[in-house]
Amino acid sequence: MSRGGSWLRLKATMTDDKASAAIKKLRKKVENISPLLSDIGTAYKNAVLRRFVAEVDPDGRAWADLSDVTIKYKKSHGSVLGPYKKGVFKGNLFANIRSRTYKNEVVVGSNVVYAKRFNYGYPKPYQPPRPFIGFDEQTNLLVLKALKRQFKIR
């Protein structure tokens, strides 16, 4: 359920010199960057959704296997994509991945109450981490190319 949750956020500082330079040039050229930030948020949101389909973390590593207990539970309670699909039981987390823009910030995440537990894992009862929030090189390059193309930055 999406009610009562808190956003799982990943805040990052730009450390790529080329990307930082492109953003500084962008700020000089554009007063309102909200539409661009929205496009960037959509790119990273789509990357998160692809991770759910592929069952991998931002670095492309496979998520931990489901336990026998989880598979048995999913079989007996009717998981929407079957008992062996990682990351989906009723589909609430997948369906509630969102991107939001706030002034000069893009946030991608979910307000589903168990999003943090799913992403980072949990000690008792043990649930291994299955990271879905994070940056990946492919999406970073797409965003950087879009910035350069839109604002004619070399």
Side-chain angles (χ1 to χ4, degrees):
M1 305 291 275
S2 60
R3 297 181 302 275
S6 61
W7 274 81
L8 171 61
R9 293 180 180 207
L10 179 67
K11 187 169 184 174
T13 303
M14 184 65 70
T15 58
D16 182 305
D17 291 337
K18 289 180 183 177
S20 292
I23 289 172
K24 284 178 185 175
K25 286 182 182 181
L26 165 68
R27 288 206 176 274
K28 290 178 184 176
K29 291 184 176 192
V30 178
E31 190 79 19
N32 177 13
I33 63 169
S34 294
L36 179 61
L37 292 177
S38 180
D39 290 346
I40 291 169
T42 298
Y44 285 110
K45 172 189 166 189
N46 290 339
V48 169
L49 295 175
R50 285 192 302 273
R51 289 183 202 122
F52 270 88
V53 172
E55 301 177 356
V56 297
D57 71 11
D59 293 323
R61 294 181 299 249
W63 286 343
D65 290 333
L66 297 175
S67 70
D68 292 339
V69 171
T70 299
I71 292 169
K72 184 177 178 182
Y73 182 84
K74 289 174 81 171
K75 282 181 178 179
S76 67
H77 289 82
S79 178
V80 295
L81 294 179
Y84 302 101
K85 180 68 177 162
K86 300 171 196 166
V88 179
F89 181 61
K90 296 295 181 190
N92 293 331
L93 181 55
F94 182 84
N96 283 287
I97 301 296
R98 302 279 188 263
S99 65
R100 305 252 195 266
T101 58
Y102 303 96
K103 295 185 181 182
N104 295 323
E105 177 182 54
V106 176
V107 177
V108 176
S110 177
N111 65 344
V112 173
V113 294
Y114 53 86
K116 288 180 184 178
R117 179 182 285 200
F118 188 87
N119 194 75
Y120 297 114
Y122 201 73
K124 291 185 182 182
Y126 179 70
Q127 179 181 334
R130 293 185 176 95
F132 61 95
I133 294 293
F135 298 102
D136 63 82
E137 190 65 26
Q138 178 185 4
T139 308
N140 291 346
L141 289 173
L142 286 173
V143 168
L144 185 58
K145 284 179 184 178
L147 284 167
K148 287 180 176 183
R149 199 172 41 250
Q150 183 165 350
F151 296 98
K152 298 173 180 75
I153 300 171
R154 293 182 181 244

